[in-house]
Amino acid sequence: MNIYDIAKLANVSIATVSRVVNNSPKVSPKTKEKVLAVMKENEYTPNAFARGLGLGSMKTVGIICPNIDDIYMAKAVSYLERNLHAHGYDCILGCSGFKQEEKVDYVRLLLSKKIDTLILVGSTYAGNGKDESDTDYIREAAEQVSVFMINAKVSGDNIYCTYADDFQATYEVTKAFIRRGKEKILFMYDSESYSARQKMAGYEAALQDAGYPIRGNLKFKTKNDIEYTRDMLLEYNRTLDFDSVLATEDGIAIGAVKYAKIKGLAIPEELAVVGYNNSILAISSDPELTSVDSKLGVMCKKTVERMIDLLEREIQIEKNVCVPCEIVRRCTTDF
Amino acid sequence: MNIYDIAKLANVSIATVSRVVNNSPKVSPKTKEKVLAVMKENEYTPNAFARGLGLGSMKTVGIICPNIDDIYMAKAVSYLERNLHAHGYDCILGCSGFKQEEKVDYVRLLLSKKIDTLILVGSTYAGNGKDESDTDYIREAAEQVSVFMINAKVSGDNIYCTYADDFQATYEVTKAFIRRGKEKILFMYDSESYSARQKMAGYEAALQDAGYPIRGNLKFKTKNDIEYTRDMLLEYNRTLDFDSVLATEDGIAIGAVKYAKIKGLAIPEELAVVGYNNSILAISSDPELTSVDSKLGVMCKKTVERMIDLLEREIQIEKNVCVPCEIVRRCTTDF
DNA sequence: ATGAAAGCGCTAACAT
DNA sequence: ATGTTAGCGCTTTCAT
């Protein structure tokens, strides 16, 4: 069943059918009704490809994240999908992994599918902070469609970023630790992503402002893996002296909690722990984890809102939006 | 840049360009090279909509799950995406929620986007087991594209199902409980989905086979929410007597663990607990959770393999595939 | 091996 | 308010 069939059955031209389908005001109620009836009777659905070809759009946005099997990414995609669906857009999802080449390939692939917009979720897409060139593929993509980044900052025309104020959050957590008498705050991270760099910078700034030294061996690189982190701490704890942990991921923080239990350290008195993302892990942990909530829902909503403004209302939109975090206090800290 | 431009620049017809793009064997190496050069030079990418219109396919599969902000669903989508991507298919993702009407709408929506195949993830799409009619929309969809269900069983032409052997798994867990002297096994569930029904049936069968009574008050409906479950148990424990918990979700099981801690019950001696899905929650818990692994990775792989066989090789494929579960033993049980 | 031309099903400008 | 028609960019059949 195509538009010609419907037109014939309804005794009108295909233009009229098209108008009815697209809710054009200039078609008489009578013919509209007639056409709708024929359409319903034959369960007609316009061919999306033909429509896309004519219009140059299928109302689809591409979402790329490194790995949706990650609570944080899944949450982001969930928020994005909901907001986009509400505005009549569909999501085509890609999981690129963390390798540069695959990121580049995946972006190209989605562009070739003629998406209306590209959303890159995660701080890994902001590059390593050293070479500008490793984000060139994003600027290239932005020549074809507008690109929205979530939790990453990349400069370039037609690139719009939304990110959490991670600097401020870790600054405040570190200050709070210091106020409660903690002197040896272990900063645990698992990548050099944009977001991780912001977090480390906040940590360092707070130490500096308090007149504390920044000690390299208190910056501890690990993996976002509970058991790996726990074992690393057990291994290094002879040479490492710390009374609190600021982790860039909840999984890392829970590794620290597990370590404390094995060592018989009281939480938070002997070891205070703060995680990040306020994921379900934070409350599944025992004791429940104090965690920084990066307000992912807010970020996703703001992203989609601006996207719609740009795509449909052609309004001027904010280029970069920074969202404040919230520190959710639970049992692994005494502040 | 379209196919005409390339044809002109390469001094060939659009048919030849099309042949080159589609890797047709009947084009001389020389012209092929020439065309490829022009294409590269101009960064030509075929228009996906036009291609879709001609071919009737954009190599896209629709994936619908109730909610990707759920560890299990996210894992499934992750596996599916990876396998599909490897075969050159893209995923368009929809989160339908659990309401019947929205499921129906979302299926229709994706069908109208001319997906090559539809994958429904989650046992919620199998209906409530009472009305056949609540899965009619799936059979309707299957008239247009083949439908693959993950962890659900729905009968109908062109519908292919892959599900875990949940019956066997809960049967074995229950038997193991009984062998270890547990007499009052609390079955905790959060829905009447297909999978939940299988789990309950396995539990009941094991009790029956052991000559134990099936007591209605030992079937406890809750939510897949740690705190809610914990509080429900605290509230009902005056009237409820149980020495072990078999939960249909890890989150529920952790709620039971939290309850045991508050009540000062030793795990697993005074309260043994088994969760489901072997999610990250199982190891973030303390003590770590014994959990049934439903082999989601295997299910997803089998699904995509059959899909490719059907779509590209037009081979006869298995209609229903049942995958055995694995019981991952950790610290909340003594078996 | 290559080209010409007829679709694929729709939208939108233009004509009436 | 409705119809005619020219694209949109590709695939594919049929000639050559």
Side-chain angles (χ1 to χ4, degrees):
Chain A
M1 269 293 157
N2 62 28
I3 200 170
Y4 292 94
D5 301 324
I6 301 297
K8 207 162 286 171
L9 290 169
N11 277 315
V12 295
S13 71
I14 58 162
T16 299
V17 177
S18 176
R19 288 192 188 98
V20 171
V21 167
N22 293 287
N23 241 309
S24 160
K26 36 187 176 183
V27 48
S28 81
K30 209 168 176 177
T31 45
K32 180 168 180 173
E33 199 181 349
K34 184 173 57 179
V35 172
L36 281 174
V38 176
M39 280 172 42
K40 178 153 285 176
E41 193 176 349
N42 296 274
E43 292 181 340
Y44 167 69
T45 345
N47 181 300
F49 298 148
R51 207 138 191 273
L53 184 57
L55 256 35
S57 154
M58 265 178 65
K59 294 204 91 178
T60 303
V61 343
I63 301 181
I64 302 184
C65 67
N67 172 19
I68 192 135
D69 181 16
D70 170 291
I71 300 177
Y72 184 81
M73 296 301 158
K75 226 170 155 181
V77 171
S78 173
Y79 284 123
L80 290 172
E81 194 275 344
R82 187 176 321 156
N83 281 289
L84 288 167
H85 183 60
H87 288 283
Y89 285 82
D90 287 318
C91 303
I92 136 164
L93 173 72
C95 304
S96 72
F98 291 91
K99 286 191 218 130
Q100 179 73 7
E101 197 192 316
E102 301 193 20
K103 292 177 192 171
V104 176
D105 283 352
Y106 229 128
V107 167
R108 268 204 243 292
L109 177 64
L110 289 210
L111 286 183
S112 82
K113 295 269 169 159
K114 295 254 161 217
I115 50 177
D116 291 21
T117 275
L118 179 62
I119 306 183
L120 263 25
V121 185
S123 146
T124 180
Y125 297 105
N128 60 16
K130 290 164 195 155
D131 300 316
E132 265 276 286
S133 67
D134 57 6
T135 51
D136 281 349
Y137 70 102
I138 301 180
R139 277 178 287 274
E140 251 176 58
E143 289 170 15
Q144 301 198 37
V145 299
S146 9
V147 177
F148 288 80
M149 320 268 318
I150 294 205
N151 221 20
K153 198 173 172 184
V154 166
S155 62
D157 256 17
N158 210 15
I159 301 177
Y160 303 90
C161 306
T162 315
Y163 39 86
D165 194 348
D166 292 319
F167 178 95
Q168 187 63 25
T170 55
Y171 183 88
E172 277 172 26
V173 169
T174 307
K175 248 181 31 190
F177 272 150
I178 290 170
R179 257 200 308 270
R180 308 300 295 173
K182 303 296 185 185
E183 302 201 319
K184 288 156 288 183
I185 308 165
L186 188 63
F187 179 81
M188 303 190 75
Y189 63 108
D190 69 334
S191 84
E192 265 88 20
S193 70
Y194 172 75
S195 156
R197 297 196 300 275
Q198 296 301 305
K199 292 170 186 169
M200 190 182 285
Y203 162 77
E204 290 177 348
L207 290 179
Q208 215 144 30
D209 287 0
Y212 282 41
I214 296 169
R215 276 176 289 184
N217 61 348
L218 284 181
K219 294 191 277 194
F220 194 103
K221 180 152 184 179
T222 177
K223 292 184 191 170
N224 184 12
D225 179 302
I226 296 172
E227 291 164 321
Y228 179 87
T229 298
R230 177 198 64 199
D231 296 344
M232 286 291 279
L233 286 176
L234 286 169
E235 189 171 330
Y236 282 99
N237 88 94
R238 282 172 228 111
T239 57
L240 207 55
D241 185 24
F242 57 98
D243 53 22
S244 47
V245 166
L246 169 50
T248 61
E249 302 285 342
D250 279 340
I252 298 175
I254 291 185
V257 168
K258 300 245 176 200
Y259 156 84
K261 289 202 170 174
I262 290 172
K263 298 290 289 183
L265 299 172
I267 296 177
E269 297 79 6
E270 297 177 278
L271 189 70
V273 179
V274 171
Y276 225 101
N277 292 342
N278 192 28
S279 67
I280 186 160
L281 293 183
I283 59 166
S284 79
S285 159
D286 182 76
E288 297 186 3
L289 208 59
T290 291
S291 185
V292 177
D293 189 319
S294 58
K295 295 297 170 190
L296 194 47
V298 176
M299 289 201 278
C300 293
K301 186 141 183 260
K302 293 222 173 186
T303 300
V304 173
E305 276 168 4
R306 282 186 294 157
M307 178 183 305
I308 300 298
D309 280 346
L310 186 67
L311 256 44
E312 308 202 331
R313 284 190 261 295
E314 294 176 351
I315 283 175
Q316 183 83 17
I317 64 171
E318 274 182 285
K319 197 152 174 59
N320 297 316
V321 173
C322 182
V323 175
C325 298
E326 180 190 351
I327 300 168
V328 180
R329 290 161 174 82
R330 296 206 186 80
C331 313
T332 56
T333 55
D334 56 3
F335 53 75
Chain B
M1 268 293 156
N2 62 27
I3 201 171
Y4 292 94
D5 300 323
I6 301 297
K8 206 163 289 172
L9 290 170
N11 276 317
V12 294
S13 72
I14 59 163
T16 300
V17 176
S18 177
R19 289 192 186 97
V20 171
V21 167
N22 293 289
N23 242 311
S24 161
K26 37 187 173 181
V27 48
S28 81
K30 210 168 173 177
T31 45
K32 179 169 182 172
E33 198 181 349
K34 186 173 56 178
V35 172
L36 281 174
V38 176
M39 279 171 44
K40 176 152 286 176
E41 195 176 348
N42 296 275
E43 294 182 336
Y44 168 70
T45 344
N47 181 301
F49 298 149
R51 203 137 194 271
L53 184 56
L55 255 37
S57 155
M58 265 178 65
K59 295 204 86 173
T60 303
V61 343
I63 301 180
I64 303 184
C65 66
N67 172 19
I68 189 131
D69 181 14
D70 170 292
I71 300 177
Y72 183 82
M73 297 300 158
K75 228 170 153 181
V77 171
S78 174
Y79 284 123
L80 290 172
E81 193 276 343
R82 189 176 320 158
N83 282 289
L84 288 167
H85 184 60
H87 287 283
Y89 284 82
D90 287 317
C91 306
I92 137 163
L93 173 72
C95 305
S96 72
F98 291 91
K99 286 191 218 128
Q100 178 75 3
E101 197 193 315
E102 301 194 21
K103 293 178 192 172
V104 176
D105 283 351
Y106 230 127
V107 166
R108 270 204 241 293
L109 177 64
L110 288 209
L111 286 182
S112 81
K113 294 270 168 159
K114 296 253 161 216
I115 49 177
D116 291 22
T117 275
L118 179 61
I119 305 182
L120 261 24
V121 185
S123 149
T124 180
Y125 297 105
N128 61 13
K130 291 164 196 155
D131 300 316
E132 265 276 285
S133 68
D134 57 5
T135 52
D136 281 348
Y137 71 103
I138 301 180
R139 277 178 287 275
E140 252 175 58
E143 290 170 14
Q144 301 198 37
V145 298
S146 9
V147 177
F148 288 80
M149 318 269 318
I150 295 208
N151 220 21
K153 198 172 173 184
V154 167
S155 63
D157 256 16
N158 210 15
I159 301 178
Y160 302 92
C161 306
T162 315
Y163 40 84
D165 194 349
D166 292 319
F167 178 95
Q168 187 63 26
T170 54
Y171 183 88
E172 277 171 26
V173 168
T174 307
K175 249 181 31 191
F177 271 150
I178 290 170
R179 256 199 310 271
R180 308 299 296 175
K182 302 296 186 186
E183 304 201 317
K184 289 156 288 184
I185 307 166
L186 187 64
F187 179 80
M188 303 190 75
Y189 63 107
D190 69 335
S191 85
E192 266 88 19
S193 69
Y194 172 76
S195 158
R197 296 196 301 274
Q198 295 302 305
K199 291 169 187 170
M200 190 182 285
Y203 161 78
E204 290 177 348
L207 290 179
Q208 214 143 30
D209 287 0
Y212 282 42
I214 296 170
R215 277 176 290 185
N217 61 349
L218 283 180
K219 295 191 276 196
F220 193 102
K221 179 151 184 180
T222 176
K223 292 185 191 170
N224 184 12
D225 179 301
I226 296 172
E227 291 164 319
Y228 179 87
T229 298
R230 178 198 63 199
D231 295 343
M232 286 292 279
L233 287 175
L234 286 170
E235 188 170 331
Y236 282 99
N237 89 94
R238 281 172 229 111
T239 57
L240 207 56
D241 185 22
F242 56 99
D243 54 22
S244 47
V245 166
L246 169 50
T248 62
E249 301 285 343
D250 278 340
I252 297 175
I254 291 186
V257 168
K258 300 244 175 200
Y259 156 83
K261 288 202 169 177
I262 290 172
K263 298 291 288 182
L265 300 171
I267 297 176
E269 297 79 7
E270 297 178 279
L271 188 71
V273 179
V274 171
Y276 225 101
N277 292 342
N278 191 26
S279 67
I280 185 163
L281 293 184
I283 60 165
S284 80
S285 158
D286 182 76
E288 296 185 4
L289 209 59
T290 291
S291 185
V292 177
D293 189 321
S294 58
K295 295 294 171 193
L296 194 48
V298 175
M299 291 202 277
C300 293
K301 188 145 182 255
K302 293 220 175 190
T303 300
V304 174
E305 276 168 3
R306 283 186 294 158
M307 178 183 306
I308 300 297
D309 280 346
L310 186 68
L311 256 44
E312 308 202 332
R313 286 189 259 294
E314 293 175 352
I315 284 175
Q316 184 84 15
I317 63 170
E318 274 182 284
K319 199 154 172 59
N320 297 317
V321 173
C322 182
V323 175
C325 297
E326 179 191 351
I327 299 168
V328 179
R329 291 162 174 81
R330 294 207 186 81
C331 313
T332 56
T333 55
D334 54 2
F335 54 74

XYZ file of all heavy atoms in Angstrom, chain A residues 171-215:
369
model
N 36.394 19.672 44.769
C 36.950 20.729 45.624
C 36.227 20.725 46.964
O 36.837 20.738 48.028
C 36.794 22.083 44.923
C 37.410 23.241 45.685
C 38.749 23.582 45.497
C 36.656 23.990 46.595
C 39.320 24.639 46.196
C 37.213 25.041 47.300
C 38.546 25.369 47.101
O 39.115 26.406 47.795
N 34.927 20.654 46.899
C 34.137 20.701 48.137
C 34.312 19.446 48.984
O 34.414 19.527 50.207
C 32.655 20.893 47.799
C 32.326 22.348 47.558
C 30.904 22.525 47.030
O 30.068 21.658 47.310
O 30.674 23.529 46.325
N 34.344 18.310 48.331
C 34.539 17.067 49.085
C 35.893 17.096 49.789
O 36.007 16.766 50.972
C 34.452 15.841 48.153
C 34.925 14.590 48.877
C 33.024 15.658 47.649
N 36.895 17.513 49.061
C 38.243 17.552 49.646
C 38.281 18.515 50.820
O 38.843 18.215 51.892
C 39.269 17.972 48.582
O 39.120 17.123 47.447
C 40.689 17.872 49.124
N 37.648 19.668 50.627
C 37.598 20.642 51.722
C 36.874 20.051 52.933
O 37.302 20.229 54.087
C 36.890 21.924 51.260
C 37.834 23.108 51.166
C 37.168 24.402 50.727
C 35.729 24.616 51.118
N 35.153 25.786 50.419
N 35.801 19.347 52.672
C 35.042 18.734 53.764
C 35.902 17.703 54.497
O 35.912 17.640 55.728
C 33.774 18.073 53.221
N 36.627 16.911 53.748
C 37.550 15.949 54.355
C 38.524 16.683 55.292
O 38.744 16.286 56.438
C 38.359 15.222 53.278
C 37.696 13.983 52.742
C 37.924 13.567 51.424
C 36.863 13.194 53.536
C 37.331 12.403 50.923
C 36.270 12.028 53.049
C 36.510 11.647 51.734
N 39.090 17.729 54.763
C 40.104 18.470 55.523
C 39.494 19.044 56.803
O 40.080 18.949 57.895
C 40.703 19.604 54.651
C 41.565 18.992 53.536
C 41.537 20.561 55.500
C 42.015 19.974 52.483
N 38.295 19.589 56.659
C 37.616 20.144 57.828
C 37.407 19.085 58.906
O 37.439 19.383 60.098
C 36.252 20.699 57.410
C 36.214 22.200 57.304
C 34.775 22.723 57.372
N 33.914 22.051 56.407
C 33.726 22.480 55.154
N 34.337 23.562 54.713
N 32.928 21.818 54.341
N 37.158 17.858 58.488
C 36.936 16.786 59.449
C 38.245 16.144 59.888
O 38.246 15.044 60.446
C 36.028 15.698 58.869
C 34.727 16.214 58.299
C 33.880 16.919 59.316
N 33.433 16.011 60.374
C 32.783 16.401 61.459
N 32.552 17.689 61.682
N 32.405 15.518 62.346
N 39.331 16.808 59.606
C 40.602 16.341 60.149
C 41.348 15.324 59.300
O 42.383 14.804 59.717
N 40.832 15.008 58.122
C 41.555 14.068 57.262
C 42.756 14.782 56.660
O 42.654 15.914 56.184
C 40.638 13.553 56.149
C 39.371 12.874 56.646
C 39.667 11.614 57.430
C 38.370 10.898 57.805
N 38.615 9.728 58.683
N 43.887 14.107 56.697
C 45.109 14.748 56.191
C 45.685 14.034 54.987
O 46.436 14.623 54.218
C 46.155 14.787 57.305
C 45.660 15.515 58.534
C 46.802 16.002 59.392
O 47.778 15.244 59.544
O 46.704 17.143 59.883
N 45.343 12.757 54.887
C 45.931 11.990 53.784
C 44.809 11.433 52.918
O 44.327 10.326 53.119
C 46.808 10.879 54.358
C 48.101 11.433 54.966
C 48.693 10.506 56.011
C 47.854 10.511 57.276
N 48.408 9.678 58.366
N 44.400 12.271 51.983
C 43.256 11.931 51.144
C 43.739 11.253 49.872
O 44.473 11.848 49.077
C 42.458 13.198 50.780
C 42.113 13.976 52.053
C 41.199 12.831 49.986
C 41.654 15.396 51.804
N 43.320 10.022 49.710
C 43.733 9.266 48.517
C 42.759 9.551 47.380
O 41.559 9.303 47.503
C 43.743 7.764 48.838
C 44.329 6.844 47.767
C 45.801 7.142 47.530
C 44.128 5.380 48.156
N 43.282 10.073 46.289
C 42.448 10.320 45.106
C 42.561 9.126 44.176
O 43.644 8.821 43.675
C 42.913 11.600 44.408
C 42.134 11.924 43.165
C 40.895 12.542 43.250
C 42.636 11.608 41.901
C 40.171 12.838 42.109
C 41.911 11.895 40.752
C 40.678 12.518 40.856
N 41.449 8.446 43.949
C 41.483 7.239 43.120
C 40.719 7.464 41.828
O 39.560 7.865 41.849
C 40.884 6.066 43.888
C 41.586 5.801 45.204
S 41.060 4.240 45.967
C 41.914 3.060 44.936
N 41.366 7.167 40.707
C 40.746 7.419 39.417
C 41.068 6.282 38.466
O 41.943 5.451 38.736
C 41.243 8.760 38.866
C 42.727 8.794 38.590
C 43.203 8.791 37.289
C 43.653 8.822 39.639
C 44.563 8.835 37.034
C 45.018 8.858 39.389
C 45.463 8.858 38.080
O 46.815 8.880 37.832
N 40.373 6.260 37.357
C 40.595 5.139 36.440
C 40.828 5.564 35.001
O 40.885 4.732 34.108
C 39.414 4.167 36.487
C 38.165 4.773 35.873
O 38.040 6.013 35.868
O 37.298 4.014 35.396
N 40.919 6.854 34.769
C 41.183 7.289 33.395
C 41.690 8.719 33.414
O 41.634 9.389 34.444
C 39.912 7.212 32.549
O 39.142 8.390 32.726
N 42.161 9.152 32.263
C 42.599 10.545 32.143
C 41.578 11.348 31.337
O 41.920 12.302 30.653
C 43.966 10.605 31.459
C 45.139 10.668 32.410
C 45.599 9.251 32.796
O 45.276 8.309 32.053
O 46.248 9.115 33.846
N 40.353 10.946 31.409
C 39.318 11.615 30.629
C 39.152 13.062 31.091
O 39.651 13.454 32.142
C 37.985 10.890 30.801
O 37.523 11.095 32.108
N 38.409 13.800 30.310
C 38.148 15.200 30.645
C 37.603 15.321 32.063
O 38.090 16.108 32.876
C 37.136 15.781 29.658
C 36.667 17.159 30.025
C 37.493 18.259 29.831
C 35.424 17.359 30.603
C 37.086 19.524 30.192
C 35.006 18.630 30.968
C 35.841 19.705 30.763
O 35.430 20.946 31.137
N 36.618 14.504 32.335
C 35.967 14.564 33.631
C 36.942 14.206 34.756
O 37.004 14.875 35.789
C 34.772 13.608 33.605
O 34.435 13.196 34.879
N 37.732 13.177 34.540
C 38.709 12.777 35.556
C 39.718 13.891 35.806
O 40.136 14.131 36.949
C 39.419 11.501 35.122
N 40.084 14.586 34.763
C 41.045 15.688 34.936
C 40.431 16.810 35.764
O 41.082 17.411 36.616
C 41.488 16.221 33.566
C 42.225 15.194 32.732
C 42.997 15.816 31.576
N 42.177 16.557 30.637
C 41.517 16.033 29.616
N 41.542 14.725 29.406
N 40.826 16.784 28.794
N 39.157 17.095 35.502
C 38.476 18.124 36.288
C 38.423 17.732 37.761
O 38.647 18.546 38.654
C 37.042 18.317 35.788
C 36.931 18.831 34.374
C 37.626 20.158 34.208
O 37.336 21.096 34.935
N 38.565 20.251 33.281
N 38.126 16.471 37.990
C 38.020 16.006 39.365
C 39.363 16.130 40.075
O 39.438 16.586 41.215
C 37.536 14.548 39.385
C 36.096 14.369 38.907
C 35.744 12.898 38.704
C 34.340 12.752 38.085
N 34.062 11.363 37.628
N 40.396 15.719 39.389
C 41.719 15.802 40.010
C 42.101 17.251 40.284
O 42.669 17.575 41.335
C 42.769 15.136 39.117
C 44.107 14.989 39.816
S 45.393 14.265 38.801
C 44.931 12.546 38.757
N 41.759 18.108 39.354
C 42.095 19.521 39.533
C 41.390 20.099 40.769
O 41.983 20.873 41.531
C 41.724 20.312 38.284
N 40.146 19.724 40.970
C 39.408 20.207 42.137
C 40.042 19.723 43.429
O 40.167 20.475 44.406
N 40.428 18.472 43.409
C 41.101 17.866 44.560
C 42.387 18.626 44.879
O 42.635 19.035 46.017
C 41.384 16.409 44.217
C 42.414 15.686 45.034
C 42.122 15.219 46.323
C 43.681 15.408 44.506
C 43.064 14.509 47.053
C 44.618 14.700 45.229
C 44.317 14.255 46.501
O 45.247 13.548 47.225
N 43.165 18.861 43.855
C 44.451 19.541 44.064
C 44.248 20.972 44.542
O 44.967 21.459 45.426
C 45.269 19.523 42.765
C 45.764 18.130 42.403
C 46.510 18.100 41.071
O 46.446 19.108 40.329
O 47.147 17.074 40.778
N 43.280 21.639 43.945
C 43.050 23.040 44.318
C 42.673 23.153 45.788
O 43.146 24.065 46.495
C 41.946 23.635 43.434
N 41.838 22.216 46.254
C 41.415 22.275 47.655
C 42.596 22.028 48.588
O 42.730 22.689 49.629
C 40.301 21.254 47.907
N 43.437 21.076 48.212
C 44.630 20.821 49.032
C 45.484 22.089 49.102
O 45.916 22.526 50.168
C 45.461 19.680 48.432
C 44.867 18.270 48.516
C 45.812 17.269 47.858
C 44.612 17.871 49.964
N 45.703 22.654 47.943
C 46.547 23.833 47.837
C 45.990 24.986 48.677
O 46.714 25.607 49.445
C 46.622 24.259 46.367
C 47.962 24.833 45.986
C 48.320 24.427 44.558
O 47.453 24.231 43.717
N 49.611 24.299 44.287
N 44.684 25.206 48.515
C 44.049 26.304 49.258
C 44.158 26.096 50.764
O 44.126 27.048 51.543
C 42.572 26.434 48.872
C 42.435 27.038 47.482
O 43.480 27.340 46.864
O 41.294 27.192 47.014
N 44.259 24.825 51.178
C 44.361 24.554 52.611
C 45.815 24.524 53.066
O 46.112 24.258 54.235
C 43.684 23.225 52.923
N 46.698 24.746 52.104
C 48.113 24.721 52.460
C 48.685 23.324 52.619
O 49.728 23.125 53.238
N 47.971 22.339 52.065
C 48.457 20.960 52.139
C 49.309 20.650 50.911
O 49.086 21.209 49.841
C 47.275 19.986 52.174
C 46.586 19.876 53.510
C 46.347 21.010 54.292
C 46.168 18.643 53.993
C 45.697 20.890 55.509
C 45.520 18.527 55.208
C 45.281 19.661 55.971
O 44.641 19.561 57.160
N 50.226 19.723 51.051
C 51.021 19.354 49.877
C 50.226 18.430 48.953
O 49.335 17.722 49.412
C 52.191 18.588 50.492
C 51.637 17.994 51.743
C 50.629 18.982 52.257
N 50.545 18.465 47.674
C 49.944 17.528 46.734
C 50.941 16.396 46.518
O 51.989 16.595 45.908
C 49.649 18.217 45.390
C 48.605 19.323 45.608
C 49.154 17.204 44.359
C 48.429 20.228 44.417
N 50.635 15.243 47.042
C 51.604 14.153 46.958
C 51.239 13.180 45.847
O 50.108 12.685 45.778
C 51.679 13.431 48.301
C 52.643 14.174 49.235
C 52.663 13.550 50.602
N 51.415 13.801 51.303
C 51.212 13.419 52.570
N 52.165 12.792 53.239
N 50.064 13.678 53.151
